[in-house]
Amino acid sequence: MSTREAQAERPVEPQAAPQSAPQAAKGAMRGDLGAVRREMARRLALLTPAMGIIILVMVVPLALMLTYSFLTSARYGGVIWEFSTDAYLQFLFVRDLDDSLLFNDTYLRIFARSFGLSLATMGVALLIGFPAALFIALQPPKYRTMLIFLVTIPFWTNLLVRNYAWILLLRDRGLINNTLMDLGVISQPLPLIYNNFGITLGLVYSFIPFMVLPIYASLEKLDWRLVEAAYDLGANRWEALKRVIIPLAKPGIIAGSVLVFVPSLGAYITPQLLGGGRNLMIGNLIQLQFGASQNWPFGAALAFILLAIVLLALVLWALRARRSGTSLKEVEIG
Amino acid sequence: MAENIAIDLRAVSKVFGSGPDEVRALDAVSLQIRDGEFFTLLGPSGCGKTTLLRLLAGFEQPTQGEIRLHGQELSGLPPFRRPVNTVFQSYALFPHMTVAQNVSFGLEMQGTSKAEIGRRVDEMLELVKLAGYGRRKPAQLSGGQQQRVALARALANRPKVLLLDEPLSALDLKLRKEMQIELKRLQNDTGITFVFVTHDQEEALTMSDRLVVMDSGKALQIGSPREIYEHPENRFVADFIGETNLLVARVDSADGESGTFRLPSGARVQGRSRDGLSAGAEVTLALRPERAELSDDPDAPLRGRIENVVYFGTDTLYQVSVNEVGLFRVRSQNVNGGMAAAGIGSTVGISFAPDAIQVLRD
Ligand SMILES: Nc1ncnc2c1ncn2[C@@H]1O[C@H](COP(=O)(O)OP(=O)(O)O)[C@@H](O)[C@H]1O
Ligand SMILES: [Mg+2]
């Protein structure tokens, strides 16, 4: 009998001690499927509490919302348990008197404005956040922790309070306009609030730590000798930044951008207070449906359309990143 | 002669930190590196070699003194304006760029035309024997290959001076020997001045045209490998480079050329002298083990008992315990089949030629 057959018969071989660990594991898997299954069951059992929480706090509410979005709106809020796609149709169309559908871009415009404002917020946050993160990363280690701590301080007070503070600063008779007028720099108050400027400013202020922290994390890991190598090869500061620092900080820049863009899109308090209710964003529109308009299915549908768009954008982006990843592997082989 | 000097350091000091944390990494170093030579900075870890290279590259500014490159004062000139390139100890290849992009980086910064860049990158990769590797990423290369990319990248700009900071220390022995030969070939082919850092004395001796031995931020001795090995000027150099026997002696008589020295045993030996020796002064003499030989002459200046015999293949080392001197080492070539001239326990004489004795400056 060959040793191979012997091994097949006796999966756990006593003489297998000098075998390398992976080989031994393979032998065990090949031989003792029952043990493997038990191990899987054990792992599954360990995962159950976490899975339970995720299902309870994420899947159940989302499923509820999805259900509501396909129900019929009751007149004074709530829903009637009757299937309907009206909520989704309402996003793009209005029903004419003869029941035909007319294209209506009101809500699309609000979505477009939200995306525009969120992109602007992301851009401004990046323009401020990257230099800030770079500055912190270049400080001696003992100051860095302190500076990062300072970056997170706005998180310590309530968002509502912070937005009211901005109103006090920005309104026509606010600190900024009053000071400028007292100094005689301007004669009319600057329109700083209740417009897109006010909203963008408020959003940038609210979310900038989400930009600074991931960028700082990737800059802190950066091997600064690479920057010296760039200088050594004739790169000035700007070239070194463009060719070495920014490409190596890219994971942080992307993470920061997503972390600022996505919550901006759903922001509610800031556009409400600093936009003065005149410049709706998606968040306000959704809130309106559950509140004043008492159209729950439409509110739920809006939330799902937003979710779908964001997910689609992230998936497309991830696919693109993966594709450039694969092309790298091709180079590896070629 | 002045136009042949590539690098001229004049009393250069570098102090890091202040107060109790002050570190004097370089202490009034003056040396000249000739155009086109392979010059080595040799010294133990922490003696200031990297600091000296960083001053040349422009990453640090000297605390005192000045550095000239082909006559031009370098102070205040940022690294990217210096016609000097560096092969970093850790290679510092750009991980997000391909090999070709790494090599072309410096050329792009210089504003070289696209066609010329393509040609030069190929030429450089050819030079370091990595033709065809241009599209790989550094992480896909072995340590030795990364080393070559770092070389190609630094040479692509045709610098006046190439600085190499322990470029071979991360390689295994066989690869290191190959790269030593490769580096010499590159230096010959390009004619670029190489400033090479190592803490390996053998590497320094075999590769350099000239070298400086450094310790604690000081340049102790500058010269050709032969000068440094045969005529070490002080105890540190004698000890750091090769094996050496140190003997304490008193000056009997001396002029500038040669002198007579009295050993503790009372024996008188002849040796090379140096200026400023007065009769009666205590001096340390250095004697290389291979310059001494076992002898059965009863008048040999040293006598002792063989404690140990170590066979090395090409030669044999005898450790002889000599009264008032301690363990004295003698190496003799194995020319007659490696049979030991004398066994452990036997008493032998040790003799040497007068020019084998070197008086150290302490
Ligand atoms: N940036 C720095 N700050 C403080 N001390 C330093 C710095 N760079 C080097 N040193 C000190 O200077 C001395 C020489 O260092 P270095 O030039 O790196 O030595 P080597 O390269 O010969 O090993 C060491 O004592 C080191 O600790
Ligand atoms: Mg070093």
Side-chain angles (χ1 to χ4, degrees):
Chain A
M1 200 200 279
S2 78
T3 33
R4 189 180 290 268
E5 281 165 317
Q7 248 170 2
E9 268 184 21
R10 273 191 309 164
V12 186
E13 247 206 320
Q15 296 108 311
Q19 249 180 352
S20 71
Q23 269 176 327
K26 229 185 268 170
M29 251 197 263
R30 191 162 7 103
D32 202 348
L33 272 176
V36 173
R37 261 194 223 116
R38 275 197 298 281
E39 171 65 16
M40 297 285 268
R42 200 178 68 90
R43 286 188 192 177
L44 217 59
L46 283 175
L47 277 176
T48 309
M51 296 294 280
I53 289 172
I54 288 174
I55 288 171
L56 199 69
V57 305
M58 280 191 64
V59 179
V60 169
L62 278 177
L64 215 61
M65 293 289 285
L66 188 63
T67 316
Y68 271 37
S69 72
F70 284 106
L71 294 178
T72 306
S73 168
R75 184 170 287 271
Y76 301 109
V79 289
I80 301 167
W81 283 82
E82 205 172 288
F83 178 79
S84 160
T85 54
D86 270 5
Y88 289 93
L89 287 176
Q90 194 184 347
F91 181 58
L92 291 176
F93 305 100
V94 285
R95 264 186 215 288
D96 210 351
L97 293 173
D98 59 1
D99 232 21
S100 65
L101 294 173
L102 284 181
F103 181 70
N104 165 26
D105 66 355
T106 312
Y107 302 122
L108 214 51
R109 271 166 194 269
I110 293 177
F111 265 61
R113 176 184 314 117
S114 298
F115 274 89
L117 284 175
S118 300
L119 277 176
T121 302
M122 186 183 93
V124 175
L126 184 59
L127 283 180
I128 301 171
F130 184 85
L134 186 59
F135 173 80
I136 297 173
L138 287 172
Q139 299 311 303
K142 57 181 171 181
Y143 298 127
R144 284 186 216 158
T145 328
M146 186 64 197
L147 287 167
I148 282 299
F149 174 74
L150 288 178
V151 166
T152 61
I153 276 194
F155 285 162
W156 291 47
T157 49
N158 181 281
L159 185 64
L160 213 54
V161 173
R162 284 183 280 149
N163 275 287
Y164 276 115
W166 275 111
I167 293 178
L168 294 180
L169 287 173
L170 296 176
R171 64 182 175 178
D172 285 359
R173 303 253 124 240
L175 189 64
I176 294 173
N177 274 319
N178 269 351
T179 310
L180 287 176
M181 284 197 288
D182 288 352
L183 288 174
V185 183
I186 49 172
S187 53
Q188 291 293 312
L190 293 171
L192 299 177
I193 198 170
Y194 307 135
N195 52 23
N196 288 342
F197 173 82
I199 297 178
T200 310
L201 184 71
L203 289 176
V204 168
Y205 168 76
S206 302
F207 296 127
I208 203 157
F210 292 132
M211 185 64 87
V212 175
L213 295 177
I215 295 180
Y216 169 76
S218 54
L219 286 177
E220 196 215 35
K221 276 185 300 191
L222 194 135
D223 181 356
W224 292 96
R225 285 171 300 189
L226 296 175
V227 180
E228 284 193 343
Y231 287 150
D232 187 71
L233 291 164
N236 56 31
R237 277 166 204 281
W238 168 241
E239 292 285 354
L241 184 71
K242 200 173 70 173
R243 300 286 304 269
V244 178
I245 300 176
I246 290 179
L248 290 174
K250 212 166 132 195
I253 291 172
I254 289 171
S257 300
V258 171
L259 285 179
V260 169
F261 180 75
V262 172
S264 296
L265 210 48
Y268 161 62
I269 292 180
T270 302
Q272 181 80 21
L273 293 181
L274 301 181
R278 268 182 282 167
N279 297 276
L280 286 186
M281 281 182 76
I282 301 172
N284 310 103
L285 187 60
I286 295 173
Q287 190 273 339
L288 213 56
Q289 304 315 313
F290 286 95
S293 298
Q294 304 219 326
N295 190 346
W296 290 18
F298 186 46
L302 286 173
F304 261 90
I305 292 168
L306 177 61
L307 185 70
I309 294 174
V310 171
L311 275 184
L312 192 72
L314 287 180
V315 166
L316 284 179
W317 175 73
L319 278 181
R320 219 198 59 176
R322 182 126 56 96
R323 213 175 314 133
S324 57
T326 14
S327 66
L328 261 186
K329 277 199 198 94
E330 276 156 24
V331 176
E332 215 170 291
I333 297 155
Chain B
M1 273 311 275
E3 67 270 24
N4 280 342
I5 302 300
I7 292 172
D8 189 358
L9 278 88
R10 299 184 185 172
V12 171
S13 293
K14 177 68 188 176
V15 179
F16 289 110
S18 56
D21 299 332
E22 184 179 294
V23 178
R24 189 165 283 266
L26 289 176
D27 192 0
V29 172
S30 294
L31 56 87
Q32 297 184 325
I33 299 172
R34 295 174 193 147
D35 194 18
E37 81 176 333
F38 196 117
F39 190 87
T40 298
L41 312 180
L42 172 67
S45 175
C47 72
K49 308 179 295 288
T50 298
T51 303
L52 184 46
L53 277 202
R54 291 175 61 80
L55 287 173
L56 294 176
F59 298 131
E60 309 277 2
Q61 295 296 322
T63 311
Q64 270 151 28
E66 59 174 38
I67 303 172
R68 286 167 186 275
L69 180 74
H70 289 283
Q72 183 197 8
E73 231 288 83
L74 283 181
S75 68
L77 210 59
F80 50 89
R81 298 244 175 75
R82 298 188 181 198
V84 167
N85 286 123
T86 307
V87 175
F88 292 86
Q89 189 161 8
S90 54
Y91 312 150
L93 297 177
F94 304 124
H96 58 297
M97 298 183 196
T98 62
V99 167
Q101 286 167 339
N102 265 283
V103 177
S104 65
F105 187 91
L107 297 168
E108 284 169 37
M109 293 301 121
Q110 281 187 334
T112 313
S113 74
K114 266 221 157 67
E116 171 71 3
I117 288 178
R119 211 181 52 70
R120 279 274 276 288
V121 168
D122 288 345
E123 181 193 330
M124 283 303 138
L125 290 180
E126 194 87 45
L127 189 68
V128 298
K129 299 184 175 153
L130 278 179
Y133 284 76
R135 293 179 55 187
R136 297 209 191 180
K137 286 277 177 86
Q140 297 166 250
L141 301 179
S142 71
Q145 289 170 330
Q146 289 182 16
Q147 166 72 77
R148 286 162 198 267
V149 176
L151 264 170
R153 183 177 74 172
L155 284 170
N157 280 18
R158 301 210 177 108
K160 290 217 172 78
V161 175
L162 185 73
L163 309 175
L164 304 102
D165 193 357
E166 309 211 19
L168 309 182
S169 60
L171 306 179
D172 61 47
L173 186 65
K174 184 165 168 290
L175 207 54
R176 192 153 82 224
K177 296 278 175 215
E178 276 174 35
M179 281 305 294
Q180 287 178 358
I181 295 165
E182 197 80 339
L183 276 177
K184 277 301 269 188
R185 178 184 67 83
L186 279 174
Q187 200 256 338
N188 261 324
D189 290 358
T190 58
I192 291 172
T193 309
F194 275 35
V195 182
F196 180 87
V197 164
T198 183
H199 61 256
D200 179 339
Q201 47 109 0
E202 190 189 322
E203 197 165 275
L205 290 180
T206 55
M207 296 183 72
S208 320
D209 293 324
R210 291 193 314 141
L211 64 144
V212 58
V213 181
M214 295 175 63
D215 182 40
S216 313
K218 291 196 175 67
L220 294 181
Q221 191 176 353
I222 304 164
S224 69
R226 212 184 83 83
E227 282 162 0
I228 300 253
Y229 183 81
E230 299 293 339
H231 306 304
E233 281 177 358
N234 58 46
R235 185 187 287 256
F236 181 86
V237 176
D239 230 19
F240 191 72
I241 303 204
E243 286 177 301
T244 200
N245 295 299
L246 297 174
L247 302 166
V248 178
R250 276 191 192 284
V251 180
D252 234 21
S253 66
D255 56 30
E257 288 287 294
S258 66
T260 314
F261 306 95
R262 201 171 64 243
L263 298 176
S265 60
R268 284 187 167 71
V269 293
Q270 297 276 311
R272 291 164 52 96
S273 179
R274 59 171 168 82
D275 294 333
L277 291 182
S278 51
E282 193 176 271
V283 291
T284 306
L285 308 177
L287 179 61
R288 297 288 183 194
E290 71 275 12
R291 301 293 303 272
E293 56 191 351
L294 301 181
S295 86
D296 37 22
D297 179 358
D299 295 332
L302 296 170
R303 296 197 75 79
R305 186 175 163 279
I306 295 184
E307 296 289 337
N308 204 359
V309 180
V310 187
Y311 174 71
F312 274 93
T314 54
D315 54 16
T316 299
L317 173 70
Y318 300 91
Q319 291 177 320
V320 185
S321 111
V322 178
N323 278 345
E324 286 143 337
V325 172
L327 224 46
F328 193 98
R329 283 170 292 187
V330 177
R331 264 180 195 273
S332 65
Q333 288 284 313
N334 291 330
V335 285
N336 48 12
M339 294 300 290
I344 293 174
S346 52
T347 302
V348 290
I350 299 169
S351 62
F352 29 82
D355 71 341
I357 295 270
Q358 177 73 24
V359 183
L360 299 180
R361 214 183 281 271
D362 251 336

